Amino acid sequence: MMETPEETFAPLPSLLPMALAAAGEEEARRKALRLEHNRTVAITPRHRWVLRENVVLGPSDFLALRAGRLVEGATSDSLLAKTSHADLLKNLPAPFLLKGVREAALRLVQAMEEGEPIVIFGDYDVDGTTSAAMLRRFFAELNHPVHVYIPERLVEGYGLNPAGVRNLAERFSREREAGIRVVVVTVDNGIAAVEACRLAQSLGMDVVITDHHDLPPTLPQAHCIVNPKQDGCTFPYRMLAGVGVAFYVMAGLRALLRERGHPLAAQVNLRRSLDLVALGTIADLAPLDGVNHILCRVGLEVMYEHVVTGARPGLAALLKLAGWNADVGRIDASDVGFKIGPRLNAAGRLGNALATEELLSTGSKLRAEELAESLHLENAERQRLEKSITQQALSQVAALGGELPAAFVLHHDNWHTGVVGIVASRVLEKYYRPTLVLGRHGDVAKGSGRSTHAFDLFSALNEVRGEFLAFGGHFHAVGLSIEHAKIPWLQRHLHACAQQRIADVDTHHPLEIDGSTPFDALDASFLQALLALEPYGVRNPRPKWLIPRASIGHIKRVGKTPDSNHARVTFVEGSKEHPVIAFGMADVLEEVARTRDDVQLVVEGRLQLFRGTWRPELRLIDFFPVDGGHT
């Protein structure tokens, strides 16, 4: 797809040969028992341990691990041959395979040629704001300015909505009176906007929907729809984020403009937009395999380039406030998930996300710093609200007493609807049950839901979507509005669905284990080899390793507060000591240490920069005593 010279660059030095040699040095490393695929080996209060693959530390197993995660159907050899970004980008499917891209691009070409206004109708989360900023930048490079509209969450609600359409109709009243149509391009929204599309059409607007959410039973009557999940779409990957869909529309438009000899289209470099694609994709928790893995692997490199060269002053300012260490020399998915994403989301959660879109678009260092400081402060307020509401929501669950329902519908009149999605995630983490959390606006309850790996929350509610005032989402996450009086019915419906459809084995969060290994095998060279699998995320998690037996040595609590439950633990395997960091487990580790039982544990490893030197750091994910009893 991206074959032009300006969109390729020299291959990165391959880390694989050294790492594979290290992994194959000792046949003893292959002594780990062969593990039965997808077999539950333990259940703890935290997880159900599942052996993902028959993986040990030989080279062939490493390649199988890599091939199985990144590109469906690819062979190990073909992946090894594609270690440069140029080769990775050539693996991307062509834009016109995505149903609706050609129609969308043709309509936008027509609007550009005939002087019709183009409005990018965004959303208030990171996926929506990156999409809007990316398209604004793209049209600016073509010297064709467009308008960006992002609805106010607490006033208009999510996505393309009638109030927003009326606002646009008023803004472009002169053009409409002159018979000039307005083209509205939705990004990361619109697939359920039946009423808003009908209204837009009646007011002289053509709507081009670009979205990635699951399809409702009735699709809007738009000019065209671009969504990889729609019937008849030949695009080979269904799980693009909203910004990924918008990127492909942009690629299709550039191709048509080049065919028509647009004087600036040949100069537009799509690779420069991949930092925003990566940002929106990772922050939206889209899967990081297949096409998304390619977009984000290259996109994170582009993001680092743009931050250090000053091309993205907004991201540079935000990272500085978040405590990013520039000496690391890279930006990874965890930086996006924990440093950038929450701060960009803060404005949309508490007010209007136009500040976020401006921060991503501006070239002014001074303005970027002002916006970053504002978002940083809003994020602090978001954290305060989230902590308070989470405590109240957990108290509601505790007050239920007895046997808990199979799913939760938690609500309070004063809960801020901008943070209830995060609160639902926190409740899900603790109880691992599908959870809806709702606030109230008058007679309407609004909120968000999060679900487990085994329960399709979207389908369970889509079956009764006629009961909702607004509804949308996908398997694991939904947003909805409902009459407040219907909350008891909603509680009964969701509980009944979850009780019927969630098997006993799926009531614990699965912890997928990639292989069994001694501590010594998780050395710097092997962890360096695993960098080839990054970025990590949904459907491509950081590899986790089973340590069959070790004893607990020294436990030292660490953290910023005296009551911290984090610890640095020394595990003893054979005669060697191995330091491991354990978050949120100090209490139970100390309890088990007093029994002197050995433990079986699951860890993940990463390389950490410490005083200028990269060294392995192992993080404890879960454990239980070998000699009986669960922690």
Side-chain angles (χ1 to χ4, degrees):
M1 175 178 144
M2 298 185 188
E3 70 287 356
T4 54
E6 77 273 15
E7 291 165 353
T8 62
F9 53 97
L12 296 175
S14 175
L15 300 173
L16 289 173
M18 173 187 66
L20 295 180
E25 281 176 357
E26 302 176 18
E27 186 62 25
R29 291 190 179 187
R30 304 182 63 89
K31 70 182 177 65
L33 69 160
R34 292 287 176 175
L35 304 173
E36 181 183 345
H37 174 50
N38 207 30
R39 181 170 61 90
T40 298
V41 294
I43 295 178
T44 76
R46 293 169 291 276
H47 299 100
R48 175 172 61 92
W49 295 13
V50 178
L51 302 176
R52 178 203 287 270
E53 297 279 358
N54 186 22
V55 173
V56 290
L57 296 183
S60 61
D61 293 317
F62 179 85
L63 298 181
L65 172 64
R66 188 179 186 216
R69 283 177 174 236
L70 304 188
V71 181
E72 296 177 10
T75 66
S76 301
D77 291 341
S78 68
L79 277 169
L80 276 176
K82 293 178 171 61
T83 55
S84 79
H85 289 181
D87 284 332
L88 284 171
L89 293 176
K90 290 176 184 176
N91 271 337
L92 291 176
F96 294 120
L97 292 176
L98 186 54
K99 184 178 179 180
V101 163
R102 185 174 297 278
E103 292 82 357
L106 286 169
R107 184 63 187 91
L108 290 169
V109 168
Q110 179 187 348
M112 294 173 68
E113 292 176 345
E114 298 182 4
E116 296 171 319
I118 298 173
V119 179
I120 310 302
F121 200 107
D123 184 30
Y124 37 69
D125 68 0
V126 177
D127 195 10
T129 51
T130 51
S131 301
M134 178 182 68
L135 290 181
R136 185 200 289 272
R137 175 76 173 264
F138 171 74
F139 280 103
E141 289 186 88
L142 297 172
N143 196 27
H144 191 97
V146 296
H147 309 269
V148 171
Y149 187 95
I150 297 178
E152 290 200 32
R153 181 178 199 146
L154 301 181
V155 177
E156 299 175 50
Y158 160 80
L160 187 68
N161 63 88
V165 170
R166 292 189 186 95
N167 288 340
L168 291 177
E170 183 176 349
R171 182 183 300 183
F172 296 103
S173 58
R174 290 185 179 178
E175 288 84 354
R176 293 169 49 243
E177 289 170 1
I180 299 172
R181 296 191 71 81
V182 178
V183 179
V184 178
V185 182
T186 72
V187 288
D188 188 36
N189 71 90
I191 198 62
V194 175
E195 181 184 352
C197 274
R198 187 182 301 116
L199 177 62
Q201 180 70 22
S202 70
L203 293 174
M205 304 180 195
D206 289 342
V207 179
V208 172
I209 292 175
T210 79
D211 201 354
H212 71 120
H213 291 96
D214 288 353
L215 305 181
T218 302
L219 293 177
Q221 294 299 308
H223 178 83
C224 62
I225 295 175
V226 186
N227 185 320
K229 296 176 180 176
Q230 62 184 316
D231 292 340
C233 183
T234 59
F235 195 77
Y237 186 76
R238 289 171 49 86
M239 301 306 295
L240 291 172
V243 69
V245 177
F247 176 79
Y248 268 90
V249 171
M250 187 173 73
L253 176 56
R254 187 193 66 163
L256 287 189
L257 290 172
R258 284 181 169 184
E259 288 178 7
R260 296 177 181 226
H262 190 287
L264 297 178
Q267 302 172 28
V268 175
N269 184 344
L270 295 182
R271 178 182 171 274
R272 295 183 61 208
S273 296
L274 290 178
D275 59 339
L276 296 182
V277 176
L279 176 52
T281 300
I282 294 169
D284 209 53
L285 299 180
L288 295 188
D289 59 357
V291 172
N292 282 346
H293 190 270
I294 295 172
L295 294 172
C296 293
R297 184 170 177 85
V298 180
L300 287 171
E301 290 284 343
V302 174
M303 190 183 302
Y304 177 73
E305 293 170 15
H306 284 172
V307 165
V308 298
T309 61
R312 293 276 189 218
L315 289 182
L318 210 58
L319 281 166
K320 183 178 179 180
L321 289 170
W324 174 66
N325 181 8
D327 293 337
V328 172
R330 62 198 293 257
I331 296 172
D332 63 18
S334 64
D335 292 320
V336 172
F338 295 103
K339 293 182 174 68
I340 304 174
R343 288 167 173 80
L344 292 178
N345 263 330
R349 292 190 185 281
L350 303 184
N352 190 280
L354 280 172
T356 301
E357 191 274 331
E358 184 183 355
L359 177 132
L360 296 170
S361 301
T362 185
S364 166
K365 185 172 183 293
L366 179 61
R367 180 58 178 156
E369 290 173 348
E370 293 173 351
L371 290 165
E373 180 67 30
S374 175
L375 290 176
H376 185 65
L377 293 174
E378 284 193 88
N379 187 57
E381 173 62 12
R382 186 272 307 168
Q383 290 173 318
R384 185 194 66 78
L385 277 172
E386 174 203 328
K387 182 177 180 180
S388 173
I389 297 174
T390 297
Q391 290 172 343
Q392 294 174 53
L394 292 175
S395 295
Q396 282 192 12
V397 175
L400 293 174
E403 184 177 351
L404 294 176
F408 299 133
V409 179
L410 309 174
H411 60 97
H412 192 283
D413 289 357
N414 296 328
W415 285 352
H416 195 297
T417 54
V419 300
V420 291
I422 310 174
V423 173
S425 296
R426 299 288 180 258
V427 176
L428 176 68
E429 288 171 9
K430 183 171 178 63
Y431 290 101
Y432 207 60
R433 284 167 166 79
T435 301
L436 295 177
V437 180
L438 308 172
R440 183 173 184 174
H441 294 272
D443 294 331
V444 176
K446 296 183 178 182
S448 299
R450 300 293 184 265
S451 191
T452 69
H453 75 287
F455 183 72
D456 188 343
L457 183 58
F458 177 85
S459 291
L461 298 181
N462 193 44
E463 294 167 3
V464 291
R465 70 180 298 132
E467 301 289 340
F468 301 109
L469 303 173
F471 173 73
H474 36 77
F475 190 107
H476 293 109
V478 300
L480 58 88
S481 297
I482 190 172
E483 293 174 14
H484 190 269
K486 290 185 176 180
I487 288 179
W489 165 83
L490 181 59
Q491 290 172 321
R492 292 191 299 272
H493 171 76
L494 190 60
H495 168 71
C497 288
Q499 191 172 49
Q500 180 182 12
R501 301 176 192 183
I502 300 177
D504 288 344
V505 73
D506 290 322
T507 57
H508 287 75
H509 193 293
L511 176 60
E512 295 184 320
I513 300 169
D514 292 276
S516 176
T517 176
F519 271 112
D520 280 345
L522 301 177
D523 56 17
S525 61
F526 186 70
L527 295 181
Q528 192 176 32
L530 293 182
L531 293 175
L533 300 178
E534 292 193 7
Y536 295 122
V538 176
R539 294 220 307 226
N540 183 38
R542 188 179 297 273
K544 294 173 179 61
W545 307 99
L546 176 69
I547 309 295
R549 193 180 193 101
S551 60
I552 300 175
H554 181 64
I555 300 175
K556 179 183 179 181
R557 291 193 180 238
V558 297
K560 297 180 180 179
T561 60
D563 60 346
S564 170
N565 197 27
H566 310 320
R568 188 167 294 279
V569 187
T570 300
F571 288 97
V572 181
E573 184 183 51
S575 60
K576 292 186 178 181
E577 296 184 341
H578 303 276
V580 177
I581 189 72
F583 293 107
M585 300 186 198
D587 291 342
V588 69
L589 280 165
E590 289 174 347
E591 181 181 340
V592 173
R594 287 192 287 270
T595 70
R596 297 181 181 271
D597 281 343
D598 285 353
V599 295
Q600 192 170 53
L601 54 150
V602 177
V603 299
E604 62 181 27
R606 67 193 72 205
L607 294 173
Q608 293 282 66
L609 186 65
F610 181 74
R611 296 177 180 174
T613 301
W614 289 97
R615 67 180 190 181
E617 179 184 86
L618 300 183
R619 185 169 298 178
L620 182 64
I621 306 301
D622 202 1
F623 72 98
F624 70 90
V626 171
D627 297 325
H630 294 334
T631 61

